[in-house]
Amino acid sequence: MPKRTRAATLTGLTALTAAGLALGAVLAAPAGAAVPQPPGFLSAADLPPHAGSSWTAGAITAGASPEVEADRCLGKALGDGRDSWYRDFRTDLDTSARQVGVELSSVSAAKGRYSRINQDIKSCARWIEEADPEVEATLKDYGKLNVEEGAHVYGLHTETSWGATDIRLLSVGRDGTTVTVVDWGRLGDFGDAPVKAFKKTTVMAVNKLH
């Protein structure tokens, strides 16, 4: 059974599912400097199937998206956009997703970032509740995946005092010096979350990094 932790709202989840697909600015590199290359990314076909709409993939963009910068789960670890890229995915309905990839300077740095992201996801439900007493959140830990140097999957459900509910699936994985995060969200609750398919998406995300 998944572990369950109670807490409160995910700032930016509604933005993710409704309007969180704006592209960030591409970071400029100093003249003469080697430009870091992005890791491999998911394609639209790799996302959990949606019964009512096909997925559309955006461009792979350098930096951090505004939604990630403001996000209570991911913003602290990924908000500076340094040596990172993201790709947004959308459907024609209420479901959207995002992948973030980060190239670190060493395996040690990548291990540290991977650990930090895991800890921030585990803490974000509490941070959400502390920030907004009108929202209640429940975090589920769906466990580890055996792929490359490892991956971990979580689910987060938020409900406002006026009845709005959102469900979000988050995963973080690592391959060598590269860390990736996959972020899926829609209106609904845990019963609407395609956990099995999302785990397959996470495995593909990590395998595609290199």
Side-chain angles (χ1 to χ4, degrees):
M1 296 292 290
K3 301 173 188 175
R4 191 182 278 264
T5 305
R6 297 199 57 215
T9 192
L10 179 60
T11 295
L13 179 56
T14 300
L16 174 66
T17 57
L21 300 172
L23 295 179
V26 176
L27 300 181
V35 178
Q37 296 300 304
F41 271 75
L42 294 166
S43 66
D46 298 325
L47 274 292
H50 193 290
S53 175
S54 59
W55 285 96
T56 299
I60 297 170
T61 304
S65 75
E67 287 75 26
V68 170
E69 290 179 319
D71 190 273
R72 288 198 176 99
C73 289
L74 304 175
K76 293 183 179 181
L78 299 174
D80 64 3
R82 185 176 304 168
D83 293 333
S84 69
W85 296 261
Y86 68 94
R87 188 175 208 178
D88 288 325
F89 302 86
R90 65 175 179 82
T91 66
D92 294 332
L93 300 175
D94 65 348
T95 307
S96 57
R98 177 178 295 110
Q99 183 184 4
V100 178
V102 187
E103 287 286 359
L104 284 304
S105 60
S106 65
V107 169
S108 177
K111 287 180 178 179
R113 186 68 65 95
Y114 176 81
S115 178
R116 167 72 184 277
I117 295 168
N118 270 289
Q119 188 55 52
D120 284 0
I121 292 173
K122 291 176 182 178
S123 301
C124 77
R126 173 174 55 83
W127 295 339
I128 287 164
E129 229 169 46
E130 291 172 351
D132 190 347
E134 296 296 317
V135 182
E136 181 180 287
T138 302
L139 180 73
K140 286 188 177 183
D141 185 339
Y142 288 114
K144 298 178 180 180
L145 300 176
N146 184 22
V147 55
E148 297 300 340
E149 274 73 58
H152 209 120
V153 178
Y154 304 90
L156 180 68
H157 173 248
T158 58
E159 183 172 3
T160 67
S161 60
W162 55 92
T165 65
D166 292 294
I167 182 64
R168 187 177 185 186
L169 294 175
L170 292 151
S171 63
V172 54
R174 183 176 72 85
D175 182 3
T177 59
T178 310
V179 174
T180 190
V181 172
V182 184
D183 186 355
W184 173 100
R186 60 162 291 177
L187 304 177
D189 56 27
F190 285 114
D192 300 304
V195 177
K196 185 176 180 179
F198 185 77
K199 287 183 176 182
K200 291 181 179 179
T201 296
T202 297
V203 170
M204 285 190 284
V206 177
N207 280 330
K208 282 191 168 188
L209 290 175
H210 300 293

